[in-house]
């Protein structure tokens, strides 16, 4: 998977969270970021990796995201590893 594809998957996941009732709020709580900082960091691979890691840890969110955006869960895993290659 290319870094560009991984970033696209992560940005789709972030958009999914922004559209879910509690998703964005929970993400901000977990990351400690406010909305302005979250928007600023949205292009950073480390932050996008964090988003994917969180979704991967929440089975319900992962299932909903994969179903809605037609993204295989395996691709979410791969994207997370591509965006954070040192987290192994």
């Amino acid at each position: 998977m290319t870094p560009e594809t991984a970033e696209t998957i992560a940005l789709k996941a972030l958009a999914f969270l922004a559209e879910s009732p509690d998703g964005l709020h929970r993400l901000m709580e977990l990351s400690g970021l406010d909305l302005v900082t979250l928007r600023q960091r949205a292009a950073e691979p480390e932050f996008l990796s964090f988003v994917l890691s969180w979704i991967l840890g929440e089975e319900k969110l992962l299932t909903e995201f994969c179903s809605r955006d037609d993204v295989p869960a395996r691709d979410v895993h791969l994207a997370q590893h591509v965006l954070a290659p040192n987290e192994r």
Side-chain angles (χ1 to χ4, degrees):
M1 173 176 294
T2 67
E4 292 79 17
T5 300
E7 185 176 316
T8 298
I9 290 170
L11 289 171
K12 285 182 179 183
L14 187 56
F16 166 77
L17 291 173
E19 294 169 8
S20 71
D22 295 323
L24 194 58
H25 179 71
R26 287 179 58 204
L27 179 64
M28 290 189 319
E29 284 180 352
L30 287 171
S31 67
L33 301 176
D34 61 22
L35 190 56
V36 172
T37 307
L38 189 144
R39 285 182 181 154
Q40 292 170 343
R41 298 211 42 214
E44 296 176 10
E46 297 84 11
F47 179 72
L48 293 174
S49 174
F50 169 77
V51 170
L52 293 179
S53 291
W54 180 53
I55 284 183
L56 286 166
E58 299 284 335
E59 187 175 345
K60 182 180 177 197
L61 283 177
L62 178 63
T63 302
E64 290 173 3
F65 168 64
C66 290
S67 177
R68 188 196 85 162
D69 283 64
D70 197 27
V71 176
R74 180 178 186 277
D75 287 357
V76 178
H77 283 275
L78 287 171
Q80 193 276 329
H81 285 287
V82 167
L83 292 169
N86 296 325
E87 287 185 23
R88 294 181 192 190

